[in-house]
Amino acid sequence: MRLFLDTADIDEIREINRWGVLSGVTTNPSLVAKEGQDPDQVWKEILTEVDGDISLETTELEADPMYEEGKRLAGMAPNAVVKVPMTPAGLETGKRLGADGIRVNVTLVFTPAQALLAAEIGAYCVSPFLGRLDDIAADGMKALRDICELYAAQGYVTNVLAASLRHPMHVVEAGLLGADIATMPYDVFTKLVKHPLTDIGLEKFLADWRKLRDGDTQQP
Ligand code: E4P
């Protein structure tokens, strides 16, 4: 499973990218707005920093302007992926962009029925939002499971990009279900690496090493 960061913060992206495990970045209008800078500048930095898929989201609502916007976003760099919303205009736009050879991410997906439509337009990936379903007392993981099963049953090649992940177990469970990609915020990414036994173990190893180095080991 490929791991993506869900952020537009270049410092967060640079830090995780140094780990050697980052395969892409997803952004959305809220995340870009949070940076308070020229969106093109924000996107350009990310597109240059990460050697992987970078999702840039359209903001137009009608199909024609959304298509023009998508073409412009795709032209920013070869690793740009154009995000369109799960709406009739988004589907129409996604289909047209795909016919131009542009990779499309259909976003704001909450049901297998919506995911079916994304696959049928030949989207490069579909983004089910797990956490937002959990937030309204629905079952985000069940939606993801159904989407993965549906895609496997039908042989769809559209990548399942598990999104709106809130904690490490969301990421692990998405992987177990067969999601192709998991995108998560910086704080979830950093939690993936942590375990108290790792910290305790390392502390003990280093304490023993220091004793040896300082020559005060107790020989029986
Ligand atoms: C994915 O592409 C979205 O940007 C994201 O995962 C939304 O997550 P949120 O529900 O935490 O805002």
Side-chain angles (χ1 to χ4, degrees), residues 32 42 47 128 183 193:
V32 175
V42 171
L47 287 159
T183 192
V193 79

Side-chain angles (χ1 to χ4, degrees), residues 6 26-28 31 55 57 83 105 107 127 129 131-132 135 161-166 183-185:
D6 191 37
T26 48
T27 66
N28 64 39
L31 292 170
S55 282
E57 188 159 342
K83 251 184 177 180
N105 174 356
T107 190
S127 294
F129 280 31
R132 292 194 192 189
D135 289 344
L161 192 166
S164 186
L165 303 180
R166 303 273 197 254
T183 192
M184 69 209 84

Side-chain angles (χ1 to χ4, degrees), residues 60-71 89 92-93 96:
E60 295 288 348
L61 288 176
E62 301 298 326
D64 284 341
M66 198 191 293
Y67 172 72
E68 292 309 323
E69 188 184 14
K71 293 277 282 185
E92 181 182 337
T93 302
R96 285 166 71 186

Side-chain angles (χ1 to χ4, degrees), residues 10-33:
I10 193 68
D11 293 328
E12 292 181 352
I13 294 167
R14 287 201 175 112
E15 181 185 329
I16 302 295
N17 203 20
R18 284 197 291 272
W19 297 5
V21 297
L22 189 63
S23 295
V25 174
T26 48
T27 66
N28 64 39
S30 303
L31 292 170
V32 175

